[in-house]
Amino acid sequence: GVRTGFRAPSAARAPDQAVRAHVRLGELCARVEHDVAGARLHYDAALRLELDDPAALLGLAELCARSDEPLRALCALDRVRALYLADALLVGRAELQVGAVYEHALGQLENARLRYLEVARALAGQAEPLSRGVGSRGRGDLAPGRRVDEGPRRDRAGREIDPDRQAFRLLAA
């Protein structure tokens, strides 16, 4: 398994290293082992060490949305948006996830459409893609172009979800 061979990150190391290690282990648990519970434990541990880590908040939000906990996902995403207002790409990623939660988990298409419109307006002319990760902040250790779950996300009806394309699809409607 993913966790075999890894020592549990501890706060005895530099706290930022332990946070990055927990976030990375959370990604691996979610992506490789499909172990949602293990991934959530690592994201929660990262957030205990660094309450405002954007990669841990985004990862936790994605897991909560997939685990039928849309309100917890929205709370984590609201926290990212409130804490990182100056980072348009990070806020844009959070807004796209919020739109996906409204659309797929809650079935609130109008709320989703409004979120996607907000993202499109806020990021008009932005050169970098939204899926680039959190790397520009130097936190979270997400590589460019990677999401917590690299496999296709699916809504309750089993349809594949691509949050980066949601805005354009709903804006055209």
Side-chain angles (χ1 to χ4, degrees):
V2 168
R3 284 165 282 176
T4 341
F6 282 101
R7 287 187 319 148
S10 72
R13 294 196 226 171
D16 61 327
Q17 289 178 344
V19 169
R20 282 193 306 276
H22 275 298
V23 168
R24 182 68 181 134
L25 287 172
E27 291 172 5
L28 291 172
C29 284
R31 187 170 39 94
V32 176
E33 290 190 351
H34 306 289
D35 178 7
V36 173
R40 285 182 63 167
L41 286 173
H42 283 292
Y43 288 129
D44 285 338
L47 290 169
R48 278 193 300 279
L49 293 170
E50 176 63 46
L51 188 62
D52 301 333
D53 183 73
L57 288 167
L58 289 171
L60 181 63
E62 184 154 343
L63 289 175
C64 289
R66 288 186 357 204
S67 301
D68 291 328
E69 293 184 80
L71 298 180
R72 187 169 183 207
L74 291 175
C75 287
L77 294 167
D78 283 342
R79 207 156 113 208
V80 169
R81 289 178 14 240
L83 292 168
Y84 299 100
L85 282 173
D87 188 332
L89 289 172
L90 189 56
V91 170
R93 287 189 68 217
E95 288 289 351
L96 279 177
Q97 280 188 259
V98 168
V101 169
Y102 276 123
E103 181 180 3
H104 299 288
L106 299 174
Q108 297 178 10
L109 297 181
E110 184 58 25
N111 282 337
R113 189 176 80 68
L114 293 172
R115 291 298 182 150
Y116 297 143
L117 279 170
E118 191 175 319
V119 172
R121 277 190 218 110
L123 298 179
Q126 188 73 38
E128 290 190 57
L130 288 173
S131 61
R132 72 172 176 79
V134 186
S136 73
R137 297 193 58 74
R139 301 172 71 181
D141 204 32
L142 283 178
R146 289 226 358 238
R147 293 189 342 210
V148 171
D149 175 26
E150 287 186 345
R153 291 183 43 217
R154 301 198 180 276
D155 64 11
R156 290 183 184 189
R159 295 179 302 247
E160 191 171 316
I161 300 169
D162 183 355
D164 290 345
R165 296 184 187 184
Q166 295 294 323
F168 301 107
R169 187 174 57 78
L170 282 182
L171 288 174

